[in-house]
Amino acid sequence: MQLDHLGIAVENLDAALRAYGPLASGAASTPEVVGGQDVRVSFLPLGATHLEFLEPTKPDSPVGRFLARRGPGLHHVAFAVPNVDAALASIRERGGRLIDDRSRPGARGRRVGFAHPSAFLGSLVEFVEGP
Ligand code: CO
């Protein structure tokens, strides 16, 4: 399995891109709002992987509540898989808790699904469809 990106929760997307931009191997993606999640994201290429910065568009949202509880920092680890629903099913089959029962549309037009942090010893794990 391939690491697709690391998701980092931030208060301010522009400030994050200024801070991390010099480390990147290319330009950041145009910020996009992910439907239903009340979050604005941008991806910064870093060699074979990416950093995803997540800025909540309102405090009462998954990333807004994460920031209030834990402050800015690492939010999730994302793996690229050929089929997100199959990846979620394999977690469910071995007794792992899921956040998403099935895949849904995510950033960059790719399908995504999240396992519950308890399935991976405290880290939130995202599966992203495609290479
Ligand atoms: Co992500």
Side-chain angles (χ1 to χ4, degrees), residues 5 52 76 78 126:
H5 63 268
E52 176 189 26
H76 64 270
E126 176 184 15

Side-chain angles (χ1 to χ4, degrees), residues 1-5 48-49 77-82 110 126-128 130-131:
M1 206 168 279
Q2 186 74 40
L3 180 70
D4 188 84
H5 63 268
T49 190
V77 179
F79 298 96
V81 294
R110 292 164 72 183
E126 176 184 15
F127 296 105
V128 187

Side-chain angles (χ1 to χ4, degrees), residues 14-40:
D14 299 320
L17 294 175
R18 277 196 303 275
Y20 283 87
L23 310 179
S25 55
S29 68
T30 303
E32 62 176 302
V33 173
V34 181
Q37 297 295 302
D38 299 313
V39 68
R40 193 167 151 256

Side-chain angles (χ1 to χ4, degrees), residues 10-21 31 40 42 53 55:
V10 297
E11 306 275 4
N12 184 294
L13 192 51
D14 299 320
L17 294 175
R18 277 196 303 275
Y20 283 87
R40 193 167 151 256
S42 175
F53 296 98
E55 174 201 79

